[in-house]
Amino acid sequence: MAAEQSVQSQQRREQLIDDDLGHQPGAKFVEGSTIVLVKNGRIVHEARKRAMISESGLREALRQDGNAGMGEVKIMKLQLSGEISIVKRYD
């Protein structure tokens, strides 16, 4: 049972990466991978925890970018450089 959960967790992580890279085979090996932290205004908690960023850290990044709240965010990514990029829903 634990092995099955481990496989499911790995598949979920790979799906997050694949979603972020637009399903390009091999892209995560060539370009590395960014981590999607917020999608359509909702925090992706599994990815946030994996990136070791607190919810308050995400909200601080929003404030620094001039956004009022998560509802304005289409996507927030942790880039390979360590920077957080934010795309607003209405850009």
Side-chain angles (χ1 to χ4, degrees):
M1 178 103 159
E4 184 178 314
Q5 288 177 338
S6 177
V7 169
Q8 289 174 344
S9 293
Q10 180 63 31
Q11 289 172 340
R12 177 71 180 127
R13 284 190 292 274
E14 290 173 1
Q15 183 63 46
L16 288 172
I17 292 169
D18 288 345
D19 286 348
D20 188 41
L21 295 172
H23 305 288
Q24 298 172 3
K28 62 184 162 190
F29 299 110
V30 175
E31 298 175 8
S33 61
T34 60
I35 299 174
V36 175
L37 301 169
V38 177
K39 193 170 191 177
N40 296 321
R42 300 185 67 130
I43 297 172
V44 182
H45 289 284
E46 182 179 319
R48 179 190 59 78
K49 290 175 186 175
R50 187 174 70 233
M52 295 185 286
I53 298 176
S54 67
E55 286 186 46
S56 61
L58 295 179
R59 294 184 199 294
E60 176 63 25
L62 280 174
R63 284 190 296 276
Q64 288 179 357
D65 194 55
N67 293 300
M70 290 293 171
E72 294 182 17
V73 177
K74 180 175 181 179
I75 195 159
M76 178 189 288
K77 295 180 185 180
L78 178 62
Q79 302 294 333
L80 293 174
S81 65
E83 293 183 27
I84 294 178
S85 62
I86 301 169
V87 177
K88 294 179 187 178
R89 285 185 173 200
Y90 304 110
D91 277 353

